[in-house]
Amino acid sequence: MGIQGLARFIDDHGAILTDDQFRNSKLIIDGTYLYHSLYFKSCFDQKHGGDYDDFEDQVCKFFKALRDCGIEPYVIIHGGSDFSDKKFETQLHHVQSRINTANSLSKGLRGSGLLPILIKQVFKQVLSSLKVPFAQCIFEADQEIASLAERWNCPVLSNNSDFYIFDIQAGYLPFSHFKWQNASTQRGSSQRYIPCKRYTTTSFCRYFNINRQLLPVFAAIAGNDYVNLNKMGFPIRWEDKLPMEPNRRPSKFEQITCIPKLLDWLARFQEQQEALDSVPRLIGHGKNNMDSALQALSLSTETYQLQPGCLEKFFIKGKAPDPGHLPDHLSVLPDWTLLPLMKGTLSSSIIHILQLRPVIQGVQVEDHSLPSGNNTSRPIRQVVFGLLLGESRAVKEYDRDGINLTSSMVKAILPSAAQQMQLDMLNQVLYNISVRLEVFLETLGVSQSTLNGVPPHLELPVAVTYYWLRHAHPRPDHPLLQALLLGLVYGELCRQRKSQRGMDQNMNENTHRHTQLRIGARSLDKGVAHAYSQWQRCMRDGLDLNQLLCFPLPEPQIACPAATQLYRGTLVHQLVGKLRGGVTPDSLLMEGPSSGQLYRAMLEAILNSQETEATGQPDGPSADSGRKERFNKALSSCKYRDHYIRTTIHLLEF
């Protein structure tokens, strides 16, 4: 996002950027662009739902490089957005593009730009484990990032070309020129630094001989996420000063070649208003809606004005914004939600829902001839909507229908256990943990006894997996369940190893191990992809519900150095292929008790609950003997035996 063509234009004018040896400084990092860049530039898998462990290792390496150079990072993750939704049409365009990419990948064609659906949650968890300060911004993040950088006199690291416009004294470091993997040591000292290029508005304005006050006008006329004259019917053809066809999207070449002409035109003005008053002569007289175009340009320039923000108070004192000082559109947020939102322990989607704004569902590779995988977890989201809005409301959701982006209204509902709950008091002792747990379990259709014997940190994944088996379509077969549980046990094994050996020592070992695991795992089974896409959607919405209910169950770590790793796409896809090809679970297990016990506990919890539901037999002591008999039959039909359940998954022998 940002100003189309500007980054390439600046790269083509190399004198604007200055070489820098960055070290010993605070650094404000645009976290959303960081996790996008780290995932895509590392060429991680995009077809199988995400390899979060590889991404985790890359994030750890990035922040280690900063630490070695004395750089103090502060990460800002986008959460809220401008209430006017000036970017909404741009967002819809990008979502349709991602749907097209997912469809291409599902057919074995090339494509890029598809993030795993749990990537934001993983990123926040890894930052927490590394003790990197971060905030999930409840306002429009770009202004907050720029304001904090100006306040602390340090640069911004991002890939967003809007930061070429903000007047930040310490400048802007484009991520594309930030060579963190090539950290070097200064001659004659032990001081390490990261080679990069630094941009300042002073350098840009001196190069093109324009007043820096005109940069917001330049961004607005050039076209950004907030306003686009071409789409509004006011395009400019600089070659002959005649407008080109309305609504035609200019080519990248046209965007780049128009920039110097626009800068030449702006050089004749000294103040913003003077330039804005001259816009009608630039785009032609007598056009309809000229006033609306001028108003849009004026409002767009305001988005680049630096205002006092709330991030400094949060980072220094750990405090959320004063509720009395929030803008009107954020007054719908209950006071208790502000700090969890900024800490990232509450999903930023609640901001959109409470404002009754449209919610855009994530895109994954799946079978596009089937309904969207998001449909599977819709009942969970409906409860989230009900807790936030009450049962009488509905939320507009955007999701795919085939390969087209469509919208529908999704009704809010409340389970019986939540009928008397009030959002403003959801975090108070009035609703103790047993009440909130009852709401969560009722939503997922899971009884408390189902989780008996399951380690606390895996209770939520087991509950979600049980829900997935009951709601996924087509219904998952046994190898899909087997592979998923084997992946969970393997994640637990990784957790134990990392806890014992330390993060840094494990990085290279994990990279080597997973490279071997992925041999032969590149082909895609669309049915498997669709099933696990549904599971990840259920996990995502289950995590959101658990957070909103103030964690009645411990939050599992998807990929984190000191916790359980839940999902790695290429691994579980490969496991399904092996199991369907005749490989039995015992060939994937070795001697020892702990991992086998974990596997058996999860399997027994899920199969027992399925059998109980199928027969209608209630939980309780009187049901134990019949349940055990049905469970043993289920084990036999799935080709399971107790002697299959041993300790470690012997995955490296594939």
Side-chain angles (χ1 to χ4, degrees):
M1 294 186 179
I3 299 97
Q4 290 290 328
L6 181 56
R8 180 178 171 183
F9 175 78
I10 289 178
D11 284 348
D12 290 343
H13 293 74
I16 299 174
L17 300 173
T18 58
D19 291 329
D20 198 359
Q21 298 179 353
F22 191 64
R23 64 193 184 278
N24 298 335
S25 171
K26 286 185 171 68
L27 178 64
I28 310 301
I29 299 176
D30 183 340
T32 302
Y33 273 86
L34 176 62
Y35 67 69
H36 277 75
S37 296
L38 290 180
Y39 200 91
F40 293 139
K41 289 182 180 295
S42 302
C43 300
F44 293 144
D45 178 79
Q46 297 180 43
K47 293 191 298 184
H48 299 84
D51 284 322
Y52 297 111
D53 51 339
D54 280 347
F55 172 71
E56 169 212 328
D57 288 344
Q58 193 75 344
V59 174
C60 292
K61 291 175 183 177
F62 175 82
F63 285 103
K64 182 180 185 300
L66 298 190
R67 184 173 66 244
D68 291 346
C69 297
I71 299 169
E72 187 179 350
Y74 292 83
V75 179
I76 317 300
I77 300 170
H78 294 229
S81 64
D82 183 83
F83 182 62
S84 65
D85 271 337
K86 292 189 287 285
K87 292 185 177 183
F88 189 66
E89 289 300 321
T90 303
Q91 291 173 336
L92 292 182
H93 172 78
H94 286 295
V95 174
Q96 181 62 64
S97 177
R98 287 196 289 272
I99 293 173
N100 296 338
T101 296
N103 185 45
S104 296
L105 289 171
S106 72
K107 297 176 179 178
L109 304 175
R110 291 185 178 182
S112 185
L114 205 63
L115 281 174
I117 203 165
L118 296 173
I119 197 72
K120 183 177 179 181
Q121 186 70 22
V122 170
F123 185 60
K124 291 187 289 187
Q125 289 178 350
V126 177
L127 292 179
S128 294
S129 72
L130 297 176
K131 296 181 170 52
V132 173
F134 76 93
Q136 181 175 257
C137 196
I138 63 176
F139 301 99
E140 169 59 31
D142 293 351
Q143 279 185 312
E144 289 284 313
I145 290 170
S147 295
L148 182 63
E150 182 65 11
R151 175 74 177 172
W152 285 356
N153 192 30
C154 64
V156 168
L157 177 67
S158 178
N159 254 3
N160 185 347
S161 57
D162 278 326
F163 288 108
Y164 288 117
I165 307 301
F166 286 107
D167 191 13
I168 303 169
Q169 189 69 23
Y172 163 52
L173 309 181
F175 192 83
S176 55
H177 296 288
F178 193 74
K179 307 302 181 184
W180 64 272
Q181 292 172 309
N182 299 327
S184 305
T185 303
Q186 283 185 317
R187 290 183 179 179
S189 76
S190 60
Q191 176 62 57
R192 293 182 64 77
Y193 66 87
I194 293 178
C196 64
K197 291 185 181 293
R198 190 186 296 247
Y199 165 91
T200 63
T201 55
T202 299
S203 176
F204 183 88
C205 293
R206 183 184 297 125
Y207 190 94
F208 292 105
N209 193 30
I210 66 169
N211 191 313
R212 72 178 67 208
Q213 294 183 24
L214 296 172
L215 285 178
V217 181
F218 161 71
I221 297 177
N224 55 24
D225 297 327
Y226 300 98
V227 61
N228 188 305
L229 288 175
N230 182 62
K231 290 183 178 180
M232 297 177 70
F234 297 96
I236 304 168
R237 177 177 288 168
W238 288 98
E239 288 76 9
D240 51 18
K241 293 292 176 60
L242 292 175
M244 60 186 179
E245 309 87 79
N247 299 320
R248 182 174 77 81
R249 191 178 182 87
S251 67
K252 291 183 178 180
F253 174 78
E254 288 173 327
Q255 290 165 346
I256 294 172
T257 56
C258 285
I259 288 175
K261 293 178 172 55
L262 175 56
L263 291 170
D264 287 342
W265 180 79
L266 285 170
R268 70 187 69 174
F269 306 110
Q270 291 300 313
E271 297 180 355
Q272 278 192 19
Q273 195 58 50
E274 182 185 7
L276 289 172
D277 290 343
S278 298
V279 168
R281 294 196 296 273
L282 182 66
I283 60 181
H285 295 282
K287 287 183 177 289
N288 296 327
N289 300 320
M290 177 68 77
D291 289 343
S292 64
L294 295 177
Q295 183 181 20
L297 289 174
S298 180
L299 291 174
S300 178
T301 63
E302 293 178 6
T303 63
Y304 297 103
Q305 305 304 315
L306 299 184
Q307 304 291 337
C310 64
L311 293 176
E312 183 177 36
K313 179 181 178 181
F314 173 77
F315 282 126
I316 294 178
K317 298 182 179 180
K319 293 185 177 181
D322 186 338
H325 295 159
L326 291 177
D328 291 342
H329 68 273
L330 292 178
S331 61
V332 295
L333 296 175
D335 293 353
W336 71 267
T337 65
L338 299 178
L339 191 57
L341 278 169
M342 293 202 69
K343 287 183 174 180
T345 57
L346 193 57
S347 172
S348 60
S349 64
I350 77 165
I351 301 174
H352 299 263
I353 297 167
L354 285 169
Q355 294 172 348
L356 293 177
R357 292 159 61 193
V359 175
I360 302 175
Q361 293 301 318
V363 177
Q364 291 284 269
V365 172
E366 52 190 24
D367 187 341
H368 288 76
S369 68
L370 297 173
S372 167
N374 288 305
N375 292 352
T376 309
S377 59
R378 180 180 291 169
I380 303 176
R381 294 197 303 279
Q382 288 180 277
V383 173
V384 172
F385 299 161
L387 290 170
L388 293 171
L389 303 172
E391 283 192 294
S392 62
R393 310 300 285 271
V395 174
K396 187 176 186 179
E397 283 193 348
Y398 280 85
D399 197 4
R400 73 165 184 86
D401 182 5
I403 59 172
N404 297 313
L405 182 63
T406 61
S407 64
S408 61
M409 299 303 296
V410 178
K411 184 180 178 182
I413 62 174
L414 281 174
S416 59
Q419 290 295 324
Q420 304 303 316
M421 281 188 165
Q422 298 180 32
L423 178 62
D424 287 346
M425 296 184 290
L426 200 58
N427 67 322
Q428 297 181 12
V429 71
L430 174 66
Y431 306 123
N432 60 40
I433 191 169
S434 62
V435 175
R436 288 183 271 115
L437 179 59
E438 184 180 1
V439 173
F440 184 86
L441 295 179
E442 183 181 344
T443 300
L444 270 68
V446 178
S447 66
Q448 179 65 64
S449 63
T450 298
L451 305 180
N452 291 341
V454 177
H457 61 278
L458 288 175
E459 288 178 341
L460 191 149
V462 167
V464 164
T465 302
Y466 174 70
Y467 173 93
W468 167 71
L469 284 173
R470 293 170 61 239
H471 290 82
H473 177 75
R475 190 176 182 87
D477 61 13
H478 291 306
L480 286 168
L481 174 61
Q482 292 172 336
L484 192 59
L485 296 183
L486 289 173
L488 290 174
V489 175
Y490 179 65
E492 177 68 8
L493 179 62
C494 289
R495 178 194 73 83
Q496 295 171 1
R497 288 176 175 171
K498 286 192 175 184
S499 297
Q500 294 168 0
R501 302 181 187 181
M503 178 184 64
D504 292 344
Q505 181 178 344
N506 239 353
M507 283 181 183
N508 292 333
E509 178 183 334
N510 274 350
T511 300
H512 176 68
R513 179 187 304 121
H514 292 296
T515 298
Q516 291 191 24
L517 283 172
R518 292 191 182 110
I519 295 174
R522 295 298 178 185
S523 60
L524 181 71
D525 183 318
K526 286 199 288 188
V528 176
H530 197 84
Y532 287 142
S533 172
Q534 293 177 88
W535 184 85
Q536 286 208 76
R537 264 71 177 253
C538 295
M539 178 59 66
R540 176 202 60 191
D541 292 332
L543 289 169
D544 287 352
L545 176 62
N546 192 53
Q547 291 178 348
L548 183 58
L549 291 169
C550 303
F551 301 99
L553 291 178
E555 179 160 288
Q557 307 295 299
I558 297 126
C560 200
T564 302
Q565 302 177 42
L566 294 182
Y567 184 84
R568 51 201 51 77
T570 52
L571 172 61
V572 293
H573 276 250
Q574 187 178 9
L575 283 168
V576 172
K578 295 292 183 181
L579 292 165
R580 286 178 174 173
V583 174
T584 55
D586 63 331
S587 65
L588 307 176
L589 301 167
M590 294 174 61
E591 293 291 333
S594 61
S595 294
Q597 290 171 355
L598 173 61
Y599 183 82
R600 181 164 47 192
M602 292 189 293
L603 180 66
E604 183 173 355
I606 292 169
L607 292 183
N608 274 351
S609 296
Q610 281 194 303
E611 288 296 307
T612 300
E613 180 188 14
T615 61
Q617 185 170 342
D619 290 327
S622 62
D624 286 345
S625 59
R627 178 188 300 164
K628 190 68 175 179
E629 181 180 354
R630 288 190 301 275
F631 174 64
N632 287 333
K633 290 181 180 179
L635 290 181
S636 298
S637 66
C638 298
K639 299 182 181 179
Y640 287 115
R641 296 292 189 276
D642 283 347
H643 70 272
Y644 290 172
I645 312 302
R646 299 179 184 151
T647 190
T648 20
I649 304 179
H650 194 47
L651 296 172
L652 294 181
E653 289 187 353
F654 275 11

